[in-house]
Amino acid sequence: MTILATELKPTCDASITHSNDDDYHTGFMASSPLLRLPSPWDEWEAILDAAVQKKLQLGDKPDLTVAEENASKQWRGDVRKMNTLSVAGLEKSEATLQRAHVVLTYILHFYIQTLPVSEPILVPRTISIPLLYVSQLLEVPPVITYADSVLNNWEYIIWPQKTSERPAADNLRSQTTFTGLVDEHEFNLVSARIEFLGSDAVKLIALMMDQLAVGDSDATKQITEHLRQLAGVIYAMKDALLDVMKRCNPDVFYNQVRPWLRGEDSAATVRKWKFEGIDEHPDLRQPQYLSGPSAGQSCLIHSLDAFFGIDHGASNHGSTSLMTRMQEYMPKKHREFLNNIKMSPRPLRNFVLASVDACILAEFNHAVAALKAFRDAHMIIITFFVLGPARRAEKKDQAGHPSNVGNDPIKGTGGTDLVKFLKETRAHTTAAMIDTNRKMD
């Protein structure tokens, strides 16, 4: 097989903003994710189907049986026997490239997470080479991202008559999961529902950016009204987030679902992921960061932060902040949309600060308060779904099994101190509010 990556260029549109309002109905969600890859890449689909159907188990599952261990070993052997397929032709369609990344990264995580903890992580060239090329074309890391598990991983339960409308919340399901459990489906779908609700936020941001460019009194009135509407959207997103507690069991999620999402830098025991065959392809390079999927990779939340002028800055030790690093995991067109907000010649917060209109200031603060409430809800979810189960797992570990909690801070799937990160982002959000007692210019 010969892959000429230098000859492959994505032909997809890099813009998320559209002139037709109907095109905002999915926001950052893929409007119509591909369900299957065409031939000759159906071999990838078949091996992923086999992993799902065999109900492969985590390699560090406490009560892993010999039969389960052998099933995983046999499947990994089948992965190594696959053909190393060329990716030439995938770049003709954005949807095909995205589906290829979903399929290959799910195979990658099935392969890695079913390995015994004593074995090194050697990704077979049958997966590593095409995944690295697909990731290079999409300009995202070769690991499961939020886009793979949520944005490009949904389908209708019943195909609607009109697909130009926002999908009904109860008419969605995940295309692919590791466990098949309702808890995993629900955890993915809560994020999907938030993203669909957030499509209204994307539309409002685009409208207000246009109005900021005008900047007259009529534009100020329109921005004020749109900020009021935006606050309502964010509060609806918060309510949707809290709904995850209705259908997803925290202990099931933490112990049976979350481990499948571990990246190289989010696992309790760090083992380097070696991509076999990379030395034979000089246009490929070993990835520097391999974090697991995280809501921090959602362009929706980053866009709200950028639009409100919330600065998460660098970390305390001077390195790139997690919020900045998570942008590398976003689809390219999402990063470009986000950069358009950041590069705006008339930022919203500066406009509000310069305004003598008390109404726009009040609505700005109301909208920022809504985002702070969303982050408060996120803290609640993390407490129920990560911190609580982690502490319970630690107390339960009385039989000499190695604990992944101990005295170390609990890591998020993004590989950082989870509690510290969430508290800092919430504090930055609160700091963006404008003092209503300031002297108007």
Side-chain angles (χ1 to χ4, degrees):
M1 177 202 67
T2 301
I3 303 178
L4 301 177
T6 54
E7 297 179 5
L8 302 178
K9 295 181 180 179
T11 57
C12 53
D13 181 13
S15 174
I16 193 171
T17 54
H18 311 279
S19 57
N20 185 345
D21 285 351
D22 288 342
D23 290 334
Y24 284 103
H25 71 287
T26 60
F28 293 108
M29 293 286 286
S31 58
S32 183
L34 194 66
L35 300 181
R36 303 282 296 187
L37 286 168
S39 179
W41 305 288
D42 49 7
E43 187 175 5
W44 297 340
E45 296 279 5
I47 202 73
L48 178 57
D49 287 344
V52 173
Q53 291 164 6
K54 290 176 182 292
K55 298 183 179 180
L56 299 183
Q57 299 296 308
L58 294 161
D60 56 353
K61 178 184 173 184
D63 55 350
L64 186 69
T65 67
V66 173
E68 290 170 339
E69 187 175 0
N70 288 338
S72 295
K73 185 177 181 180
Q74 181 181 10
W75 178 83
R76 291 195 303 272
D78 292 340
V79 172
R80 287 196 168 275
K81 294 175 185 176
M82 290 171 58
N83 294 306
T84 306
L85 301 176
S86 170
V87 302
L90 283 171
E91 80 286 355
K92 294 180 180 179
S93 163
E94 180 183 18
T96 307
L97 269 178
Q98 290 172 339
R99 177 62 186 170
H101 199 269
V102 170
V103 173
L104 290 169
T105 54
Y106 267 84
I107 296 171
L108 173 76
H109 280 248
F110 265 118
Y111 192 96
I112 290 173
Q113 306 303 347
T114 59
L115 283 168
V117 294
S118 59
E119 290 190 15
I121 297 176
L122 304 175
V123 183
R125 69 185 65 233
T126 55
I127 295 303
S128 66
I129 300 304
L131 173 57
L132 287 166
Y133 275 118
V134 167
S135 299
Q136 185 171 287
L137 288 167
L138 289 171
E139 299 182 31
V140 294
V143 66
I144 282 186
T145 66
Y146 179 81
D148 296 310
S149 62
V150 176
L151 305 181
N152 300 318
N153 190 34
W154 70 276
E155 62 180 330
Y156 294 107
I157 297 174
I158 300 174
W159 197 267
Q161 291 184 339
K162 294 179 65 177
T163 58
S164 60
E165 298 177 352
R166 179 186 299 158
D170 59 353
N171 193 30
L172 303 174
R173 65 184 170 203
S174 295
Q175 290 184 9
T176 304
T177 63
F178 290 103
T179 65
L181 296 171
V182 171
D183 309 80
E184 183 177 359
H185 278 279
E186 185 60 23
F187 201 85
N188 291 344
L189 292 176
V190 162
S191 292
R193 295 178 195 123
I194 291 170
E195 292 286 344
F196 281 125
L197 287 170
S199 64
D200 288 338
V202 176
K203 178 179 179 180
L204 289 166
I205 287 172
L207 287 172
M208 283 187 276
M209 287 181 68
D210 288 341
Q211 292 155 359
L212 286 166
V214 177
D216 59 15
S217 59
D218 286 340
T220 299
K221 292 179 182 178
Q222 292 176 333
I223 293 170
T224 302
E225 173 58 21
H226 287 148
L227 282 172
R228 185 189 65 78
Q229 295 171 357
L230 182 57
V233 172
I234 299 172
Y235 277 119
M237 289 164 49
K238 181 209 71 172
D239 292 341
L241 176 60
L242 292 173
D243 277 347
V244 71
M245 293 189 287
K246 296 178 180 178
R247 292 175 290 272
C248 183
N249 182 289
D251 289 289
V252 171
F253 169 76
Y254 182 82
N255 295 300
Q256 299 183 47
V257 177
R258 192 171 183 261
W260 290 104
L261 306 176
R262 292 173 294 198
E264 182 185 73
D265 58 4
S266 60
T269 303
V270 177
R271 290 182 292 168
K272 298 297 292 183
W273 296 9
K274 182 178 179 181
F275 290 80
E276 294 182 347
I278 195 171
D279 295 338
E280 302 166 13
H281 297 266
D283 49 346
L284 296 178
R285 61 186 182 276
Q286 178 70 28
Q288 186 176 3
Y289 299 108
L290 290 169
S291 300
S294 165
Q297 298 167 9
S298 167
C299 192
L300 173 60
I301 304 303
H302 285 256
S303 295
L304 289 167
D305 282 340
F307 188 61
F308 291 136
I310 298 169
D311 182 15
H312 295 291
S315 62
N316 292 335
H317 48 78
S319 62
T320 303
S321 70
L322 176 69
M323 290 294 280
T324 300
R325 185 160 62 83
M326 288 295 97
Q327 294 171 24
E328 300 173 10
Y329 292 75
M330 296 178 187
K332 180 182 178 182
K333 64 180 181 180
H334 296 184
R335 295 196 301 268
E336 292 179 351
F337 178 83
L338 179 59
N339 287 333
N340 285 339
I341 298 176
K342 294 179 179 179
M343 301 284 289
S344 173
R346 181 170 278 187
L348 172 66
R349 195 167 190 277
N350 290 355
F351 182 82
V352 175
L353 282 168
S355 176
V356 296
D357 190 318
C359 291
I360 193 171
L361 186 152
E363 293 301 342
F364 175 88
N365 281 345
H366 183 210
V368 174
L371 186 56
K372 195 263 184 183
F374 180 86
R375 289 198 153 111
D376 288 340
H378 194 190
M379 280 293 296
I380 293 172
I381 296 303
I382 291 301
T383 299
F384 274 94
F385 284 84
V386 179
L387 303 183
R391 300 310 177 201
R392 286 192 289 275
E394 184 180 22
K395 291 179 180 179
K396 192 176 181 181
D397 185 23
Q398 301 293 331
H401 300 295
S403 172
N404 64 350
V405 181
N407 296 319
D408 295 330
I410 296 174
K411 286 186 176 183
T413 48
T416 191
D417 182 334
L418 188 57
V419 175
K420 180 181 178 182
F421 165 69
L422 292 175
K423 286 183 177 180
E424 286 178 349
T425 56
R426 187 172 59 178
H428 296 155
T429 304
T430 302
M433 297 183 73
I434 299 173
D435 183 3
T436 56
N437 295 321
R438 68 186 178 88
K439 181 179 178 181
M440 292 289 186
D441 295 331

